[in-house]
Amino acid sequence: MRAPNFEVRSSESAFARRSAVSAGPSVAPHAGPMQVPLFTGRYIVVFKSKAVDAGARSLNEVAGLRVARTSEFEDVPSEGILGDADALVLERLGAAVISPDPDQLRALRSNIGVSAVHGDVVSSKQDPQNPVFTLSPERVVSIEPPWVESADQVQSAFDPWALGWWAAAPAFAADGSVVTWGLNVTNVVNSRLTGRGVKVAVLDTGIDPGHPDFAGRSITSNSFIPHEPYVEDDKGHGTHCAGTVCGPASPTTLPRYGVAPDVDLHVGKVLDSTGVGADGRILAGIEWAISKGCQIISMSLEAPGTWGNEYDQGFDLVAQRALELGTLIIAAAGNRSLREWFITMPVGSPANCPSIMAVAAIGPLLDVARFSNRSAGPLGGMIDVAAPGVDVDSSFPVPTVRNTISGTSMATPHVAGIAALYAEATGTTGGELWGLLQSRAITLAADPDDVGVGLVQAP
Amino acid sequence: MGQFDSSSSEQQAVRVVVRNRDEFDAKRQELAAAGLKVDEVMPIIGAVTGTISRRDLKKLDAIEGVEWAPQGMFEAS
């Protein structure tokens, strides 16, 4: 096997350089789309959720890559420490930077199956057992994206006390024993609205209809997964999201976690039991939700975005059409960032479409969640609003019943539920509903590229 | 990377969105004539999904007023 290709300039560590490579746009924010990004010769592998271990093994077993993992190091790995490794697995990011030779690259592509090709990105979609999500060439990007101009500036983004956020935060002192922290900071706790008469579709992994908090409830549902024609939720993700949208006002155990308990819930299963779904299934779910008259569609799903890439015009056409028909699509911005290591990733697809509301995640201190993706400019995708997405307590399939998890997935149904409250109160839909949500949000201390106009607020 | 083998008869799953929904039926016929085997028709959003041989993918580029892409994959986030 040839010598590893983790070249490093001066004393800069290999990992630091790789981090910087992943941290910013490949073109200046004001640059035109015609600028051609350059590639490093290495590749980025993104693993499926919770498949980092299997993915790391597969890099070795399939392609013979010598793999180093960030958990093997106490600090940022340097070139010397990496030794002869030709793959570095960024475990918390769920990705790897690899330096394959042509034979190894062919082996990896063959193993993925090349079932879907987006420009220069290869992704596996048919084989749920394959731990690799995408394989793409590593781009050369700016090593100093705007938000890391100053270390103090970065620190301040994580220090809400220093920035006086509390002056604007409503009901924050509530202890969370009666309602979740998310319902507190979004003012849902003080709202008398319940979403009655509003149809909301949650397009996700399905729902546990036998959950005690949904027992006896009328739920319109459909599965769009051919090999899983049932709507039952084998993963739990969809049940959690649906719970946040419309869990009961009086759940079997406190705290209350549902934003709009009386909405007319529609559940479309567009992700399979591994949490994966092709975009044709998602489009079918959108079509179904619109056909059912849903005013709001909540989609806690994403495909990773890439700095310098543009949003999908086909998906945006669909979202424009939905808005014209009175349906607001709200989607998760994605969880690919690793902010404690100064790595930010761009808004994922389809949230990066201008006609889809992109939701970032914040934590209980109203700071940006470490994983939450970031705006990538008008062509790459913008964060529109933020909502609670860290340590979110909601329903989960029995026997677990309740679970506390984090993600922009968890923030998205908060926004969908609050949108339902506005729709109930005002009768507005589509673009007007979008405008209401944004105009009533409270400004946060964080960078608008991270949180959009701020934290959504219930009417 | 990312180059289709245009000589391949291997099937590619794609999804197509028609820009002007008034032309949806006409564009469906054009897509079928180009070799697209339609799996699902979504008239409300003006989209279809289907499969097409890779050697015929260029024919989709020649159809005006549609946005097509290979079917990608999404994950719970």
Side-chain angles (χ1 to χ4, degrees):
Chain A
M1 194 173 293
R2 89 256 173 281
N5 189 30
F6 282 131
E7 75 283 3
V8 174
R9 290 173 298 223
S10 67
S11 59
E12 185 184 21
S13 79
F15 182 73
R17 188 163 57 81
R18 283 182 209 110
S19 298
V21 162
S22 301
S26 59
V27 294
H30 52 276
M34 295 307 291
Q35 283 191 245
V36 179
L38 301 174
F39 301 99
T40 66
R42 294 178 302 210
Y43 288 80
I44 303 291
V45 176
V46 177
F47 302 122
K48 293 174 184 172
S49 294
K50 299 178 182 176
V52 175
D53 289 339
R57 279 197 305 275
S58 77
L59 293 177
N60 178 259
E61 292 169 359
V62 171
L65 291 167
R66 293 162 295 190
V67 177
R69 301 174 62 138
T70 47
S71 63
E72 298 166 6
F73 306 95
E74 289 185 2
D75 200 351
V76 176
S78 68
E79 180 188 26
I81 294 174
L82 282 174
D84 62 356
D86 35 25
L88 176 64
V89 174
L90 308 169
E91 291 170 291
R92 295 167 72 181
L93 191 59
V97 183
I98 67 173
S99 184
D101 64 26
D103 289 340
Q104 292 171 322
L105 183 60
R106 268 192 293 275
L108 284 171
R109 296 191 72 197
S110 173
N111 182 253
I112 291 171
V114 200
S115 57
V117 181
H118 280 288
D120 45 33
V121 179
V122 180
S123 64
S124 65
K125 69 183 180 67
Q126 303 292 357
D127 178 8
Q129 303 304 316
N130 193 321
V132 174
F133 188 81
T134 60
L135 169 68
S136 58
E138 183 187 42
R139 295 169 192 273
V140 175
V141 294
S142 166
I143 60 170
E144 288 193 352
W147 73 284
V148 291
E149 286 173 352
S150 150
D152 290 339
Q153 183 185 356
V154 173
Q155 184 57 42
S156 69
F158 292 90
D159 188 3
W161 295 101
L163 293 163
W165 59 265
W166 38 265
F172 184 70
D175 66 6
S177 61
V178 178
V179 302
T180 59
W181 76 266
L183 270 55
N184 264 318
V185 300
T186 53
N187 200 40
V188 171
V189 64
N190 295 318
S191 178
R192 294 183 178 179
L193 298 162
T194 63
R196 184 174 299 279
V198 181
K199 294 182 178 180
V200 179
V202 178
L203 303 184
D204 210 285
T205 58
I207 192 169
D208 176 9
H211 191 284
D213 284 350
F214 291 103
R217 181 171 188 150
S218 172
I219 301 173
T220 305
S221 61
N222 199 357
S223 173
F224 300 92
I225 304 297
H227 56 281
E228 295 177 14
Y230 50 90
V231 77
E232 278 76 5
D233 181 9
D234 297 323
K235 189 170 180 67
H237 190 269
T239 302
H240 198 277
C241 292
T244 299
V245 170
C246 62
S250 300
T252 48
T253 57
L254 290 176
R256 172 189 159 191
Y257 54 86
V259 172
D262 290 333
V263 299
D264 186 351
L265 178 61
H266 288 60
V267 171
K269 185 173 183 174
V270 299
L271 303 176
D272 66 17
S273 57
T274 67
V276 173
D279 53 5
R281 304 298 86 216
I282 291 152
L283 289 175
I286 293 172
E287 170 92 359
W288 170 77
I290 295 173
S291 75
K292 294 293 183 185
C294 292
Q295 294 102 315
I296 297 148
I297 296 176
S298 182
M299 299 201 307
S300 292
L301 50 86
E302 64 119 14
T306 306
W307 290 111
N309 275 10
E310 297 180 13
Y311 65 84
D312 185 309
Q313 294 196 19
F315 252 105
D316 194 58
L317 264 178
V318 167
Q320 285 176 33
R321 217 153 267 167
L323 284 174
E324 290 165 5
L325 295 168
T327 302
L328 172 62
I329 302 177
I330 301 166
N335 310 327
R336 310 278 170 180
S337 295
L338 201 59
R339 289 167 181 270
E340 67 270 42
W341 289 354
F342 307 116
I343 297 171
T344 54
M345 296 296 283
V347 181
S349 176
N352 60 354
C353 293
S355 303
I356 294 179
M357 178 172 276
V359 184
I362 60 168
L365 295 179
L366 308 191
D367 52 347
V368 185
R370 62 170 186 79
F371 50 76
S372 189
N373 288 348
R374 176 176 169 85
S375 294
L379 294 175
M382 302 292 288
I383 299 289
D384 294 301
V385 294
V390 175
D391 295 339
V392 174
D393 181 12
S394 185
S395 50
F396 214 74
V398 290
T400 305
V401 180
R402 293 284 283 263
N403 201 0
T404 300
I405 53 180
S406 301
T408 52
S409 278
M410 285 62 250
T412 300
H414 278 97
V415 180
I418 289 169
L421 302 183
Y422 280 109
E424 176 192 8
T426 64
T428 54
T429 59
E432 291 182 357
L433 185 54
W434 180 314
L436 260 181
L437 280 165
Q438 285 204 300
S439 66
R440 304 294 175 86
I442 60 170
T443 305
L444 296 171
D447 188 334
D449 276 348
D450 289 325
V451 296
V453 298
L455 174 61
V456 291
Q457 293 291 290
Chain B
M1 289 289 289
Q3 297 300 310
F4 291 114
D5 177 0
S6 59
S7 66
S8 171
S9 61
E10 187 179 343
Q11 295 293 300
Q12 173 71 48
V14 299
R15 40 96 170 165
V16 187
V17 182
V18 177
R19 284 195 168 278
N20 182 350
R21 209 150 37 106
D22 293 339
E23 298 176 349
F24 186 57
D25 288 337
K27 294 299 175 187
R28 276 176 58 195
Q29 292 177 20
E30 283 189 58
L31 291 165
L36 180 71
K37 296 171 188 166
V38 175
D39 291 332
E40 191 149 12
V41 178
M42 295 164 273
I44 296 175
I45 59 173
V48 298
T49 55
T51 55
I52 188 170
S53 70
R54 292 195 170 181
R55 72 162 64 96
D56 288 335
L57 280 171
K58 284 184 180 173
K59 295 180 182 176
L60 296 184
D61 287 330
I63 300 176
E64 293 184 355
V66 302
E67 292 286 343
W68 75 270
Q71 286 211 42
M73 184 179 66
F74 292 83
E75 270 195 311
S77 58

